[in-house]
């Protein structure tokens, strides 16, 4: 019998259609590249990242009645990770067009399709109540996130919000039900400006990059969320808690191939770390840093998430085990 899921991720499954090219084409330009398709979606990527660490994990998301949905179910069966796919027959499984250039940067357009059709009645309350950590992002609906977090809070389950991609209709009310907020720099800037955290100044990514850890921590405290973790790409991440901030540098000595899904690897690794390290936030963030670093050494999103064995080997090799 399989163990009850300790990490539950509610979000999107997306069929990624990825094109690799030397440089992004400019508007009006056609460029020659190579193509792969595979399982993606921020929610699903995070569930795969958590599940591959060995922590019992479940993914919940809605899909169409089509070939991509059948491949998704097959992928989860092969991975041995629990998944509840809710079928929305009138809608297509979500798809994303992804461009990756030779510098490992990406540009993404995601069509949410069936993923945006999930409803509160689709959520199994017991699955949420029996978890230790519940994770949501912005590729299903904001209403489902609010519903899931309310259920989680009633059951004292830790809630993790990755506000990706940032949306114009974001309702800050969810922050009251959020234990850990994990934005990247783009999302942080958008959120901070929406909430007016920088006063009359408009925050930009350039200004954010120039902030000291203390100044960034001060801004983080404005969200009113116990823990805010800002992921800073190759600079690592800043963990802001009520009693202070910790800057965790990114893991060094890795060969960056494709950073698509690095944020997802971090969030999934963090959720698993919360379980593994019994709610030690800093230990979980260090673990997430390693999971994310390993994910950028491979092409693709979900398939690039490292296994427990790869993580253990990497931590041992880098003297962090
Ligand atoms: P993406 O949108 O590409 O999926 P993101 O913008 O959401 O990523 P980032 O902040 O770029 O997320 O990266 C997430 C985490 O991945 C970082 O906090 C870090 O731990 C790891 N990471 C990213 N780039 C690198 C790198 N070049 N070297 C080592 N670790 C990296
Ligand atoms: O974060 C990466 C993911 O974002 C991709 O897998 C793609 O599906 C998009 O939703």
């Amino acid at each position: 019998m399989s163990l009850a899921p300790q990490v539950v991720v509610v979000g999107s499954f997306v069929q990624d259609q990825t094109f690799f090219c030397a440089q992004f084409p400019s508007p009006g330009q056609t460029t020659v590249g190579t193509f792969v398709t595979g399982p993606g979606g921020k929610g699903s990527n995070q569930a795969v990242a958590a599940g591959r660490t060995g922590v019992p994990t479940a993914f919940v998301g809605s899909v169409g009645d089509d070939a991509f949905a059948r491949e998704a179910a097959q992928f989860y069966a092969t991975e041995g990770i629990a998944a509840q796919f809710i079928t929305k027959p009138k809608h297509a499984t979500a798809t994303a067009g992804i461009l990756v250039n030779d510098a490992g940067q990406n540009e993404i357009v995601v069509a949410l399709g069936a993923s945006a059709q999930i409803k509160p009645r689709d959520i199994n309350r017991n699955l949420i109540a029996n978890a230790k950590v519940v994770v949501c992002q912005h590729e299903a609906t904001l209403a489902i996130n609010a519903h899931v977090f309310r259920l989680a809070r009633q059951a004292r389950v830790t809630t993790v919000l990755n506000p990706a991609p940032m949306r114009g209709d974001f309702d800050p009310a969810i922050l009251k039900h959020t234990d850990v907020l994990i934005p990247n720099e783009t999302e942080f800037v958008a959120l901070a400006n929406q909430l007016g955290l920088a006063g009359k100044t408009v925050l930009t990514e350039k200004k954010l990059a120039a902030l000291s850890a203390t100044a960034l921590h001060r801004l983080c405290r404005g969200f009113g969320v116990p823990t805010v973790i800002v992921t800073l790409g190759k600079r690592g991440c800043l963990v802001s808690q009520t009693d202070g901030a910790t800057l965790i540098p990114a893991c060094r000595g890795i060969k960056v191939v494709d950073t698509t899904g690095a944020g997802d690897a971090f969030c999934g690794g963090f959720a698993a770390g919360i379980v593994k390290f019994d709610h030690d936030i800093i230990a979980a963030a260090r673990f997430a840093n390693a999971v994310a670093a390993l994910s950028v050494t491979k092409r693709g999103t979900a398939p690039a998430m490292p296994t427990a064995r790869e993580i253990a080997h990497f931590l041992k090799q880098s003297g962090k085990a």
Side-chain angles (χ1 to χ4, degrees):
M1 199 177 70
S2 61
L3 295 166
Q6 296 182 301
V7 172
V8 174
V9 183
V10 180
S12 55
F13 173 85
V14 177
Q15 184 71 23
D16 284 349
Q17 320 270 5
T18 308
F19 296 83
F20 296 90
C21 50
Q23 288 170 339
F24 296 133
S26 342
Q29 191 192 359
T30 300
T31 192
V32 172
T34 57
F35 173 79
V36 291
T37 183
K42 293 184 191 299
S44 177
N45 293 341
Q46 293 177 14
V48 173
R52 282 191 177 177
T53 70
V55 170
T57 298
F59 170 72
V60 180
S62 52
V63 291
D65 180 8
D66 50 29
F68 291 152
R70 286 184 277 283
E71 277 178 37
Q74 183 58 50
F75 174 71
Y76 270 83
T78 309
E79 288 287 324
I81 299 173
Q84 187 201 346
F85 289 112
I86 303 115
T87 307
K88 303 289 175 182
K90 291 188 184 148
H91 299 269
T93 298
T95 48
I98 304 178
L99 301 185
V100 179
N101 69 11
D102 274 356
Q105 299 165 312
N106 63 68
E107 291 181 346
I108 304 178
V109 178
V110 59
L112 295 181
S115 182
Q117 298 303 317
I118 191 164
K119 300 286 181 290
R121 64 172 179 273
D122 297 324
I123 302 295
N124 176 338
R125 286 167 180 258
N126 288 336
L127 184 70
I128 304 294
N130 292 325
K132 288 198 171 143
V133 191
V134 165
V135 191
C136 288
Q137 323 70 29
H138 285 178
E139 283 188 339
T141 70
L142 303 185
I144 208 72
N145 292 354
H147 175 71
V148 166
F149 275 20
R150 270 196 300 270
L151 294 178
R153 268 289 168 88
Q154 281 163 14
R156 295 173 188 267
V157 174
T158 300
T159 55
V160 177
L161 179 65
N162 171 224
M166 189 47 194
R167 289 167 49 158
D169 56 346
F170 177 73
D171 181 357
I174 195 167
L175 298 178
K176 277 202 264 342
H177 302 289
T178 303
D179 295 308
V180 185
L181 177 69
I182 311 184
N184 68 7
E185 290 156 289
T186 315
E187 292 138 14
F188 184 90
V189 164
L191 283 170
N193 286 331
Q194 185 181 344
L195 273 66
L197 299 187
K200 287 189 183 144
T201 334
V202 174
L203 191 64
T204 60
E205 284 186 50
K206 201 169 164 198
K207 286 182 192 166
L208 174 73
L211 290 178
S212 67
T214 310
L216 182 53
H217 169 56
R218 211 175 298 129
L219 281 178
C220 288
R221 289 301 90 217
F223 290 113
V225 171
T227 300
V228 179
I229 305 180
V230 190
T231 64
L232 303 166
K234 60 180 180 227
R235 292 194 293 141
C237 65
L238 179 104
V239 184
S240 165
Q241 296 178 274
T242 46
D243 58 354
T246 309
L247 190 61
I248 304 177
C251 302
R252 308 240 175 269
I254 51 153
K255 189 172 177 307
V256 180
V257 172
D258 176 7
T259 63
T260 321
D264 299 333
F266 187 97
C267 293
F270 177 79
I274 286 288
V275 175
K276 273 179 181 288
F277 304 108
D278 199 16
H279 289 84
D280 179 332
I281 299 277
I282 299 296
R286 287 192 197 283
F287 184 72
N289 232 21
V291 172
L294 283 170
S295 79
V296 307
T297 63
K298 290 185 196 159
R299 280 186 166 191
T301 54
M305 300 305 170
T307 61
R309 182 191 279 242
E310 287 168 332
I311 301 164
H313 179 72
F314 179 68
L315 291 174
K316 195 170 170 197
Q317 217 183 23
S318 47
K320 291 177 181 152

